[in-house]
């Protein structure tokens, strides 16, 4: 390039800069919609609020109570329809993809590349946080649902041993019943019942069956005798639940186990966050076992911060949120409190308790062994319409509006087929 051309080029650059105008004044605030309103969940969220405050970002909380997030997603739909995009929202897998397909999400790809997310975040999560080659969400954690949470004092009192089969679990529940303790703590809400049924199906039919039925939505699997047997097993569990279970919030069911009013809860490991918030420790106050017959497999869901296409003056705050979420320090500090495991594979388990360490080890093994499956109840098995159809059939069976396992199988096949 001649000297004259260089001078001309630099003159163009100077002129352009003069007309660029002042950089957009940025709003130093993160507006987050979420459903983390229990003790353990709020404690975990505080870790993020404090991290962002250190960087000068205020937190505009948009909490929508209701375990499992259905109410929150209804509120989000209204906000987005009104054009009032939050900086981000807690979302589950297929819901992220729905909003991305609707063109509502921002593009975090530049930040993701700079921060090396593609190397640290498992492919199973990238399937939901990357849409059309763009990063649209920041994975916060990996929860898994195929757990038993057991009160250790009761377990010892009744001479319990870790149940390895579904029949062992029934025998353990019988021992609790004989001791006059509520055997199974359940919240009678559709998402909780379906979250428990995820584990029953995996236990009854095994990994390949779970994948075919609840990830591939294979009709032969859905209408099989194995699915009927799974409903039979769910029917057996119903006999161990207290009469006041209907409508109970999940964390109140967890509190029953914490207080020793009940022996066991089948629940995702967000329940561990409640034990931790109550200063309970694994091995002393409670035990965490994989749901019997599911050891070696992990039924997962991941909380993601779906990042919306916010106005230019809110982009810096969104990038700060994304970076804070995937920072290694946050990924350890948050998940230790939340009960989940990191969304990055390069975070040490140093600060995690025994259940957290087991969760991290199980996820690694399942990820490498092809036994990591998306939870249908928790937004990672199929799109929301199918998941809602599933939850509806399961809750009707648990609350005796569907009388038999055969009828439940027929209803399930029809409901999922109609929702696809
Ligand atoms: C799940 C979510 C968890 C926890 C749970 C109970 O869907 O992934 O983080 O919030 O609901 O509300």
């Amino acid at each position: 390039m001649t000297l004259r051309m260089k001078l001309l080029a630099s003159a163009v650059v100077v002129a352009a800069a003069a007309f660029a105008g002042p950089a957009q004044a940025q709003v130093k605030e993160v507006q987050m919609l979420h459903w983390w309103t229990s003790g353990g969940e709020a404690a975990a969220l505080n870790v993020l609020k404090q991290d962002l405050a250190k960087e000068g970002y205020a937190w505009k909380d948009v909490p929508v109570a209701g375990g499992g997030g259905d109410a929150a997603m209804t509120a989000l739909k209204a906000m987005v329809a009104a054009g009032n995009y939050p900086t981000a929202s807690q979302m589950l897998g297929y819901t992220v993809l729905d909003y991305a397909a609707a063109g509502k999400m921002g593009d975090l790809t530049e930040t993701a590349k700079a921060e090396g997310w593609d190397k640290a975040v498992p492919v199973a999560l990238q399937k939901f946080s990357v849409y059309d080659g763009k990063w649209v969400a920041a994975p916060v954690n990996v929860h898994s649902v195929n757990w038993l949470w057991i009160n250790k004092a009761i377990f010892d009192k009744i001479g319990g041993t870790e149940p390895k089969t579904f029949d062992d679990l029934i025998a353990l529940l019988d021992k609790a019943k004989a001791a006059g303790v509520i055997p199974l703590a359940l919240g009678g809400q559709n998402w909780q019942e379906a979250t428990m049924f995820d584990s029953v199906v995996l236990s009854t039919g095994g990994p390949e069956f779970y994948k075919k039925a609840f990830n591939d939505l294979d009709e032969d699997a859905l209408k099989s005798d194995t699915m009927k047997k799974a409903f039979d097993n769910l029917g057996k569990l119903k006999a161990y639940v207290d009469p006041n279970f209907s409508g109970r919030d999940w964390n109140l069911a967890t509190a029953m186990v914490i207080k020793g009013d009940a022996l066991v809860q089948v629940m995702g490991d967000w329940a561990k966050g409640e034990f931790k918030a109550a200063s309970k420790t694994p091995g002393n106050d409670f035990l965490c076992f994989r749901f019997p017959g599911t050891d070696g497999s992990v039924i997962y869901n991941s909380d993601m911060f779906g990042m919306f296409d916010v106005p230019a003056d809110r982009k810096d705050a969104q990038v700060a949120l994304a970076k804070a979420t995937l920072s290694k320090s946050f990924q350890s500090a948050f998940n230790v409190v939340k009960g989940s495991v990191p969304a990055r594979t390069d975070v040490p388990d140093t600060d995690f308790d025994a259940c957290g360490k087991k969760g991290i080890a199980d996820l690694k093994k399942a990820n490498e062994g092809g036994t990591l499956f998306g939870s249908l109840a928790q937004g990672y098995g199929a799109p929301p319409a199918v998941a809602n159809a599933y939850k509806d059939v399961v809750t009707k069976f648990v609350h005796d509006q569907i009388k038999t396992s055969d009828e439940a199988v027929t209803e399930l096949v029809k409901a999922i087929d109609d929702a696809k």
Side-chain angles (χ1 to χ4, degrees):
M1 185 189 280
T2 64
L3 176 60
R4 183 172 178 281
M5 288 168 77
K6 278 181 183 170
L7 288 172
L8 186 62
S10 59
V12 167
V13 169
V14 169
F19 288 96
Q24 181 90 29
Q26 290 294 307
V27 177
K28 299 280 281 181
E29 175 192 83
V30 165
Q31 186 183 24
M32 172 75 76
L33 186 146
H34 64 88
W35 62 91
W36 286 334
T37 55
S38 77
E41 293 169 331
L45 193 54
N46 271 332
V47 175
L48 180 60
K49 292 179 186 176
Q50 286 156 10
D51 285 357
L52 287 168
K54 285 176 205 153
E55 294 183 54
Y57 289 95
W59 180 270
K60 182 159 173 34
D61 207 29
V62 186
V64 182
D70 288 351
M73 292 303 96
T74 302
L76 176 65
K77 205 169 185 176
M79 282 183 78
V80 171
N84 172 21
Y85 294 3
T87 312
S89 172
Q90 177 189 357
M91 300 163 99
L92 300 172
Y94 277 96
T95 303
V96 176
L97 297 181
D98 277 357
Y99 276 102
K104 304 297 182 188
M105 305 311 279
D107 182 357
L108 275 295
T109 308
E110 190 182 329
T111 301
K113 282 194 177 354
E115 302 283 306
W117 292 0
D118 52 341
K119 293 177 188 61
V121 175
V123 170
L125 300 190
Q126 292 194 39
K127 214 178 99 181
F128 296 98
S129 47
V130 179
Y131 180 83
D132 198 21
K134 296 191 181 98
W135 283 83
V136 295
V140 187
N141 60 12
V142 183
H143 274 301
S144 57
V145 301
N146 53 309
W147 288 104
L148 301 181
W149 304 98
I150 288 179
N151 179 288
K152 186 171 186 298
I154 301 174
F155 185 78
D156 291 345
K157 184 176 156 220
I158 63 176
T161 55
E162 181 180 352
K164 292 296 185 184
T165 66
F166 187 81
D167 289 344
D168 289 348
L169 176 60
I170 296 299
L172 181 65
L173 295 173
D174 278 333
K175 282 186 173 178
K177 199 167 188 173
V181 171
I182 295 169
L184 179 61
L186 175 66
Q189 298 168 346
N190 66 3
W191 72 273
Q192 293 184 61
E193 294 152 351
T195 298
M196 180 166 75
F197 192 52
D198 278 0
S199 290
V200 174
V201 168
L202 175 58
S203 172
T204 306
E208 275 318 301
F209 179 77
Y210 181 92
K211 180 180 180 300
K212 276 185 75 175
F214 283 3
N215 289 176
D216 305 341
L217 304 181
D218 175 85
E219 185 159 314
D220 289 338
L222 288 169
K223 68 182 181 186
S224 66
D225 286 346
T226 305
M227 187 59 75
K228 179 192 171 305
K229 185 160 184 279
F231 275 106
D232 289 345
N233 285 338
L234 181 60
K236 288 175 185 170
L237 290 178
K238 276 167 53 177
Y240 297 96
V241 171
D242 67 291
N244 306 316
F245 83 104
S246 190
R248 179 184 288 138
D249 286 338
W250 71 272
N251 53 312
L252 300 183
T254 311
M256 290 166 70
V257 178
I258 290 170
K259 288 185 293 187
D261 296 336
L263 171 66
V264 55
Q265 181 184 25
V266 179
M267 186 45 77
D269 40 21
W270 46 88
K272 212 291 289 290
E274 300 304 297
F275 284 94
K276 185 164 180 66
S279 305
K280 304 298 183 185
T281 55
N284 299 319
D285 306 301
F286 68 98
L287 302 166
C288 54
F289 297 139
R290 283 298 178 187
F291 190 93
T294 74
D295 225 345
S297 295
V298 168
I299 304 176
Y300 83 96
N301 76 308
S302 165
D303 290 306
M304 297 195 170
F305 289 151
M307 304 282 181
F308 284 88
D309 187 16
V310 292
D313 65 353
R314 301 187 78 95
K315 295 275 189 198
D316 283 6
Q318 191 174 70
V319 168
L321 168 65
K323 286 179 174 177
T325 303
L326 268 298
S327 79
K328 287 186 185 178
S329 58
F330 171 79
Q331 280 291 318
S332 182
F334 172 87
N335 285 294
V336 158
V337 177
K338 185 70 171 65
S340 36
V341 304
R344 300 179 61 118
T345 54
D346 55 358
V347 174
D349 70 358
T350 318
D351 296 340
F352 289 80
D353 66 19
C355 297
K357 285 178 165 56
K358 176 171 172 52
I360 290 171
D362 287 354
L363 176 65
K364 184 174 187 301
K365 191 173 146 205
N367 203 23
E368 290 163 358
T371 54
L372 178 63
F373 306 111
S375 163
L376 181 54
Q378 286 293 331
Y380 281 81
V386 172
N388 290 333
Y390 164 60
K391 291 188 276 191
D392 185 49
V393 170
V394 170
T395 199
K396 281 179 177 160
F397 178 79
V398 171
H399 294 264
D400 299 321
Q401 291 152 305
I402 292 177
K403 302 291 184 198
T404 68
S405 297
D406 280 320
E407 192 187 340
V409 168
T410 304
E411 291 294 318
L412 183 66
V413 170
K414 182 178 183 310
I416 288 179
D417 197 43
D418 292 349
K420 277 197 256 189

